[in-house]
Amino acid sequence: MSYNLLESATYLSSLLARGFSRSLLNRAAELGFSPGQFPVLIELWKEDGLTQRELLDRLDIEQATLANTLARMERDGLIVRMPHPRDRRAVRNFLSEKGRAIEAKAVAVAQEADQALFKGFRRFEKELMLEYMRWAIENSRKL
């Protein structure tokens, strides 16, 4: 019995994820952020000052991964971390001036990264693929 990797959703999805990440990485590096930081930036652009717990509730990410990501973002000058005024255990994460300033360009490069990977797709094909991806992700959460 032979196993064809090109018929494996697991294998293909990992290649696809790497492709999207690489596409964004190449565009984001000049702005000073990484693909792993982008979801955090998106949430902070929507609502600045979120705690790590609030970010965990909004993003599908492991706690340790988020803690490391926030530490790198602080080191890179994208966020400033401040004690929560009412909860001594919590830290609020605020965008720095640099983090706020890159929003429009960061969103544009993320859209360019998506467009590059969907090159040749008709609009309905892209929308259908995105729907299938969301569906498969939802199924994976039930495992």
Side-chain angles (χ1 to χ4, degrees):
M1 177 191 243
S2 164
Y3 190 79
N4 184 347
L5 288 176
L6 295 179
E7 293 181 10
S8 165
T10 305
Y11 178 72
L12 291 174
S13 65
S14 75
L15 291 180
L16 186 60
R18 276 195 315 211
F20 277 106
S21 184
R22 190 172 42 252
S23 183
L24 180 56
L25 175 68
N26 295 338
R27 293 166 169 81
E30 67 188 48
L31 294 176
F33 73 94
S34 70
Q37 296 169 342
F38 190 62
V40 175
L41 287 169
I42 291 289
E43 291 305 321
L44 292 176
W45 289 325
K46 288 181 199 173
E47 184 179 348
D48 205 8
L50 296 172
T51 65
Q52 185 170 321
R53 173 82 269 163
E54 291 167 328
L55 287 165
L56 284 169
D57 290 343
R58 295 171 188 213
L59 300 170
D60 192 2
I61 187 171
E62 296 293 323
Q63 189 279 329
T65 301
L66 180 59
N68 290 333
T69 298
L70 291 171
R72 284 192 307 276
M73 291 175 77
E74 182 178 36
R75 179 202 66 203
D76 296 344
L78 294 168
I79 64 169
V80 176
R81 303 174 89 190
M82 303 176 90
H84 194 287
R86 292 178 306 281
D87 183 350
R88 292 190 338 203
R89 296 170 295 155
V91 174
R92 295 180 70 196
N93 300 283
F94 292 92
L95 292 162
S96 66
E97 187 176 316
K98 176 183 176 181
R100 280 190 298 279
I102 65 169
E103 180 178 4
K105 288 182 181 178
V107 169
V109 299
Q111 290 170 335
E112 287 173 18
D114 278 2
Q115 289 171 358
L117 287 162
F118 283 116
K119 183 178 180 182
F121 281 63
R122 291 175 285 192
R123 183 176 173 185
F124 84 93
E125 291 168 330
K126 176 185 173 187
E127 291 171 2
L128 195 56
M129 183 169 175
L130 290 170
E131 180 61 26
Y132 289 155
M133 291 167 73
R134 287 187 289 267
W135 190 0
I137 290 166
E138 190 59 36
N139 287 343
S140 76
R141 290 184 175 136
K142 298 172 186 173
L143 299 177

